[in-house]
Amino acid sequence: MSNPATGTESGHVTGLYREHEEWTVNTGGKTIHAKRMPGFFRTMKYFTALTWLVFFLGAYPRWHGKQAILFDVTNRQFHFFNITILPQDIWMLSLLLLLMAMTLFAVTSVASRVFCGYFCFQTVWTDVFTWIEEKIEGQPGQRRKLDGAPWSVTKVRLKLMKHAAWLAISVLTGISFSIWFVDAFDYWHDLLTLNLPVIGWATLVAFILGTYILAGFLREQTCFWLCPYARIQGVMTDAQTILPTYDENRGEPRGKLRRHEEGAAKQGDCIDCFQCVQVCPTGVDIRQGQQLGCITCGLCLDACDSVMDKIGRPRGLIRYASLDEMEGRPVKKLYQHPRTFVYIGIILLALSGIIYGLTHLGALVLRVAPERQPLFVRMSDGSIQNKYVFKVLNKTNKDMYVTVKAEDGISGQQIIGAEQPILVYHGRATPFTIFVKAPEKNIHEEITPIEFRVEGVDHPEISSEYQTMFNGPKP
Amino acid sequence: MSDNHKSAGGVPTTGHVWDDDLADLVNQPPKWWMLGLTASAIWVVVYWLMYPAVPVALNGNYFKGVGLPGSGQWTAIKELEADQKEVDAVRSKYENKLKDMTPAAILADSELTEYVTRSGKVLFSDNCAACHGQNGAGTIQKGGKFAMREQGYMAPMLNDDDWLFGGTIDKIHETVSGGRQGVMTAHKDTLSGQQIDDVAKWVLASSEGNGNAPEFAAGKKVFASSDCASCHGADGKGMQAMGSANLTDKIWRFDGSLEGIKQTITYGVNVGPDARNAVMPNFTEAGKLTPAEIKKLAVYVYKLGGGKADAAVAAK
């Protein structure tokens, strides 16, 4: 009974683990050399990969003598053309993150892992690295042969060339990342004169190693083992999501292509040519259905379509299709897909929040803290004086003189301490103290609302208001 | 069963099988992963030794953790010193400037004034607030053990614009550095009870602006004919040269009630055990504050809300 051999021999255990050879958990054991085949989705991938040019080039444009887009972490300022975003506006970043997350969710729920398959840096960089590999070492067959061959001058030369090219891309990636955070041209200058700060070198080295290892060696293992998004996105698909799907009804029973009519009649369209597996960058067999390893890049669709063309069968044995379609249920239209609307609703909310934020940023931000001890002071002429600490955040790129005015408050009030325009420094909050003095006879409440307004002397359109209180004695 | 670690589907098992077909597979993690795990475990120990966690006492030195090579021995004091150095580096820019500047010159520099009022706030809390109250709001003593002797402000409120000894920056600086002690004679022997009552009523009335009303004429007469006017001035507005209070405003150094005023007149200020006590110590002699700190305090007090522009400076 307890002898496992019994179970094995009786076929139970073996049966249970029959699929072991298809398990992709330990993919790291062998390198996947995917075949490159032309086709619609292949072309799509080249175009979507081009969006990453923004990453390489986006930090170079200048705007009014400064870098147009600069995430100046050291000075805690984000520059985006005319807009400067300070830590005070961090709530917009959270909305932006929400927006990006929701876009990912929405796209995934409609068309599965589009991000993974077409846009993810892991996918794109791996694609570029394997493209180089193919140019230098040849087709997958040649690559496997080369890997297995003993070391020779040719092998060393080819490997050196490949790794040099990989490292060059990695270095460029590291530099392109860094220049979003410091002035791009200063960075190049410091880099070429070997004058980068320690943190600069550390970032560069981390990115070179990260790119080289992740895209050069870990590849699909990143998607299997490291990437949380692969797991998150997997659960976002439902029966209405379109995925690259193998049409089992049409394909099975699969078998080698036969010329005889009677054999062909019993057989499905799948000729078991393994082209779909050979082109897969993560090495999965799509015919086993949707799985963790599938990044839905569509390359197997191209492969299968080209085979179908050759054997004279209709295309689309592997195609983008939903589970509903496969199981013969009515296929819902996109607008009958309530999840999508929830996602779109959240996206619109986040987007309008960001737009509101960007248009209402204001170049000046006024904060006023009334003195709390003492709340008010009786002056020798019998008037009541309040003290306020002003903090004026100047988000423009120039120091600015501002005037201070008050609205509401007590009639006959007098602002002391702002007779002359006050200098507020750019890029930070300048504090100063203001007193407001008012005749006691005009004070009718213990607490009277008062609104302060600061206004640029040369730029009256730049202003900020703050509502606070004027404290007085009990009338 | 131990001899039967056969593989199921190529994977070795531990040899345990339950429910006929539930086998326990031995799937070795990848080698690089195991190496990483081992290296991390070793690093935990190394890190724990280097990190300032383990107290060490060697050759009379006490420190924590062995640290990185060349980083020295970590102690909390050293860290504090390093932190203070950082702060001092920021402050020294201002502090060096301050040394040779007069308080008036500091006031003319808005950035320096901002710095000085901030560090002055701390100095004030440590040295002055005990009597003058937090933020110079004054400390009111009413009732309690000293009810008869020291009713009213223990020390003047500093946020208003009423100054016994002058509210220009130089006068305030003089007060902080040299201290002040006002004097008011006791009148229990020189004035009758009725006279004290009359003059107290007049003082109260003049603070309300009714000093010339006929019903207070008796008190006004006492004020003019006795020694009151010689210190408080004929108009009762006080003399800052000697620190006598302005009696015509609504701000009271001591208790401003009729009873309180009468008590001040009867027993005086700083002239005996029953008199009101009003001494500002000399902070230079006390040696507790440096000249720079006294300057800071002067500017801080000036900026509390009642500082008076110097007439001479204003004229320029």
Side-chain angles (χ1 to χ4, degrees):
Chain A
M1 274 289 278
S2 66
N3 192 338
T6 321
T8 313
E9 279 161 13
S10 68
H12 291 309
V13 175
T14 324
L16 200 59
Y17 299 112
R18 181 173 48 84
E19 292 168 359
H20 163 260
E21 285 177 9
E22 315 296 341
W23 288 353
T24 41
V25 181
N26 274 335
T27 315
K30 60 179 200 293
T31 309
I32 291 171
H33 287 294
K35 192 170 153 187
R36 233 160 242 271
M37 284 177 87
F40 174 74
F41 292 102
R42 179 66 261 177
T43 316
M44 284 275 284
K45 264 173 83 96
Y46 285 131
F47 278 113
T48 54
L50 285 182
T51 53
W52 280 98
L53 281 180
V54 174
F55 169 77
F56 287 100
L57 303 175
Y60 294 106
R62 312 296 282 182
W63 188 260
H64 292 314
K66 287 164 94 181
Q67 191 160 323
I69 305 171
L70 176 65
F71 303 103
D72 192 349
V73 174
T74 331
N75 297 318
R76 301 190 201 174
Q77 293 180 0
F78 287 178
H79 297 283
F80 189 81
F81 293 92
N82 269 344
I83 301 170
T84 301
I85 299 172
L86 294 176
Q88 284 80 357
D89 305 311
I90 197 76
W91 59 272
M92 277 196 290
L93 179 67
S94 51
L95 282 185
L96 183 68
L97 293 177
L98 181 71
L99 177 74
M100 284 155 70
M102 282 303 143
T103 311
L104 186 73
F105 295 177
V107 170
T108 309
S109 89
V110 171
S112 66
R113 291 163 63 179
V114 170
F115 174 75
C116 291
Y118 300 91
F119 295 96
C120 176
F121 38 85
Q122 178 65 24
T123 305
V124 171
W125 262 250
T126 303
D127 201 35
V128 172
F129 272 42
T130 50
W131 181 80
I132 290 169
E133 201 168 49
E134 187 174 287
K135 291 287 161 223
I136 293 173
E137 295 182 355
Q139 294 298 316
Q142 291 168 285
R143 264 136 70 186
R144 279 192 205 97
K145 210 170 142 195
L146 185 73
D147 286 348
W151 285 100
S152 66
V153 178
T154 319
K155 183 170 176 180
V156 169
R157 184 176 59 83
L158 290 177
K159 292 282 174 194
L160 268 181
M161 274 167 68
K162 180 180 82 175
H163 288 283
W166 283 2
L167 275 172
I169 292 177
S170 306
V171 171
L172 195 59
T173 306
I175 293 171
S176 301
F177 175 80
S178 304
I179 56 174
W180 290 88
F181 298 93
V182 288
D183 188 282
F185 295 95
D186 288 353
Y187 182 89
W188 273 104
H189 177 265
D190 289 349
L191 180 72
L192 296 176
T193 54
L194 304 179
N195 269 332
L196 280 185
V198 176
I199 181 85
W201 288 118
T203 311
L204 185 59
V205 168
F207 260 78
I208 292 172
L209 287 180
T211 313
Y212 181 63
I213 293 171
L214 287 174
F217 301 95
L218 280 178
R219 294 188 183 170
E220 81 287 347
Q221 299 161 47
T222 309
C223 311
F224 281 117
W225 298 340
L226 297 180
C227 183
Y229 292 102
R231 317 252 161 173
I232 294 174
Q233 290 187 66
V235 299
M236 271 165 208
T237 56
D238 56 19
Q240 291 138 38
T241 309
I242 53 163
L243 307 152
T245 310
Y246 166 67
D247 191 341
E248 221 168 37
N249 308 328
R250 210 187 112 185
E252 299 295 321
R254 64 182 82 150
K256 291 266 172 281
L257 184 65
R258 289 183 201 159
R259 296 287 171 200
H260 305 299
E261 285 297 318
E262 44 185 294
K266 284 180 200 157
Q267 227 168 273
D269 279 354
C270 175
I271 57 165
D272 215 8
C273 65
F274 276 97
Q275 289 297 310
C276 54
V277 181
Q278 281 180 25
V279 295
C280 181
T282 61
V284 302
D285 187 345
I286 191 65
R287 293 173 299 171
Q288 288 166 359
Q290 175 57 20
Q291 53 203 291
L292 173 67
C294 177
I295 57 172
T296 76
C297 62
L299 292 182
C300 51
L301 276 67
D302 286 344
C304 193
D305 283 350
S306 72
V307 171
M308 289 297 117
D309 288 351
K310 271 180 211 151
I311 64 170
R313 300 269 160 79
R315 289 181 163 204
L317 177 59
I318 304 174
R319 63 176 183 275
Y320 266 102
S322 65
L323 194 63
D324 279 348
E325 184 189 333
M326 279 300 143
E327 300 193 337
R329 287 192 290 268
V331 179
K332 287 183 183 166
K333 296 265 168 35
L334 199 55
Y335 59 79
Q336 291 168 317
H337 211 162
R339 271 174 69 184
T340 320
F341 285 103
V342 175
Y343 288 141
I344 289 173
I346 302 173
I347 287 174
L348 287 178
L349 275 180
L351 199 62
S352 43
I354 293 171
I355 291 171
Y356 172 84
L358 287 178
T359 49
H360 288 73
L361 268 181
L364 283 182
V365 178
L366 172 65
R367 293 281 180 273
V368 179
E371 179 71 58
R372 285 182 165 71
Q373 191 187 18
L375 281 171
F376 60 88
V377 175
R378 189 187 302 279
M379 304 305 273
S380 54
D381 60 359
S383 59
I384 300 298
Q385 180 169 286
N386 274 218
K387 182 179 180 181
Y388 300 93
V389 176
F390 276 49
K391 282 191 179 161
V392 183
L393 178 66
N394 179 355
K395 296 187 192 174
T396 65
N397 50 14
K398 285 194 192 81
D399 294 351
M400 190 194 294
Y401 280 96
V402 295
T403 54
V404 178
K405 286 174 190 153
E407 279 158 30
D408 304 333
I410 315 288
S411 65
Q413 68 192 10
Q414 194 187 342
I415 300 177
I416 301 164
E419 293 79 6
Q420 304 296 321
I422 291 163
L423 181 63
V424 290
Y425 299 96
H426 71 275
R428 62 184 170 102
T430 306
F432 53 89
T433 306
I434 293 292
F435 299 99
V436 174
K437 198 161 100 167
E440 190 178 358
K441 63 178 191 323
N442 295 341
I443 300 172
H444 305 300
E445 303 283 340
E446 258 184 284
I447 296 169
T448 315
I450 183 167
E451 189 181 80
F452 290 106
R453 177 187 169 83
V454 290
E455 201 176 274
V457 173
D458 302 325
H459 306 274
E461 76 281 2
I462 300 178
S463 65
S464 177
E465 289 93 33
Y466 194 85
Q467 177 94 39
T468 181
M469 296 297 165
F470 184 92
N471 292 293
K474 274 188 188 144
Chain B
M1 72 182 219
S2 58
D3 60 335
N4 219 332
H5 291 201
K6 270 200 173 175
S7 62
V11 183
T13 73
T14 55
H16 305 151
V17 172
W18 296 269
D19 295 343
D20 296 339
D21 59 357
L22 197 56
D24 206 359
L25 302 194
V26 185
N27 257 331
Q28 196 64 24
K31 191 167 277 170
W32 65 265
W33 194 89
M34 285 305 291
L35 283 175
L37 180 73
T38 318
S40 308
I42 295 169
W43 172 241
V44 166
V45 178
V46 174
Y47 186 74
W48 178 66
L49 288 174
M50 295 203 303
Y51 189 79
V54 194
V56 186
L58 266 187
N59 306 329
N61 289 326
Y62 171 80
F63 55 94
K64 280 185 168 180
V66 294
L68 285 170
S71 71
Q73 297 159 343
W74 189 92
T75 68
I77 296 286
K78 277 188 194 167
E79 187 175 87
L80 176 70
E81 280 169 357
D83 285 356
Q84 277 180 333
K85 236 178 231 173
E86 234 171 79
V87 176
D88 285 343
V90 178
R91 286 182 181 163
S92 60
K93 184 176 102 182
Y94 301 107
E95 294 289 340
N96 291 339
K97 250 190 188 176
L98 280 179
K99 267 185 212 155
D100 308 320
M101 287 173 87
T102 63
I106 295 171
L107 267 181
D109 182 333
S110 66
E111 200 185 343
L112 209 50
T113 305
E114 198 57 44
Y115 169 77
V116 165
T117 46
R118 267 145 207 274
S119 67
K121 188 180 169 75
V122 179
L123 286 169
F124 190 89
S125 299
D126 287 350
N127 298 288
C128 317
C131 295
H132 288 286
Q134 199 64 26
N135 301 334
T139 313
I140 298 170
Q141 285 202 339
K142 276 186 179 163
K145 190 162 116 184
F146 303 110
M148 283 309 287
R149 250 177 60 195
E150 291 185 348
Q151 205 173 26
Y153 283 113
M154 190 173 161
M157 191 180 204
L158 299 175
N159 328 62
D160 60 30
D161 59 346
D162 185 36
W163 300 91
L164 291 168
F165 292 92
T168 64
I169 182 65
D170 289 336
K171 284 288 172 193
I172 295 172
H173 185 242
E174 199 179 301
T175 307
V176 181
S177 51
R180 298 286 187 190
Q181 182 164 0
V183 175
M184 174 162 166
T185 50
H187 296 87
K188 56 181 186 287
D189 303 325
T190 51
L191 295 177
S192 70
Q194 180 60 44
Q195 281 175 314
I196 289 175
D197 192 54
D198 285 344
V199 79
K201 278 179 179 156
W202 174 81
V203 167
L204 195 57
S206 7
S207 83
E208 308 281 345
N210 298 328
N212 291 325
E215 62 260 45
F216 303 115
K220 193 177 180 183
K221 204 177 146 207
V222 175
F223 181 82
S225 58
S226 73
D227 59 349
C228 302
S230 55
C231 290
H232 287 285
D235 52 1
K237 285 192 189 298
M239 292 182 195
Q240 291 184 341
M242 60 178 68
S244 57
N246 181 352
L247 301 177
T248 62
D249 64 20
K250 288 185 177 176
I251 295 169
W252 297 96
R253 169 65 181 89
F254 304 109
D255 188 359
S257 68
L258 185 61
E259 282 308 304
I261 296 167
K262 276 160 76 174
Q263 198 202 331
T264 310
I265 297 169
T266 311
Y267 298 107
V269 178
N270 288 336
V271 287
D274 294 329
R276 292 196 186 274
N277 190 10
V279 178
M280 162 89 185
N282 181 325
F283 275 89
T284 311
E285 268 179 17
K288 209 181 159 194
L289 297 174
T290 65
E293 286 172 333
I294 289 177
K295 268 190 262 187
K296 284 182 187 174
L297 279 171
V299 172
Y300 173 76
V301 170
Y302 180 90
K303 293 297 274 184
L304 274 177
K308 301 258 187 199
D310 196 325
V313 173
K316 280 183 206 168

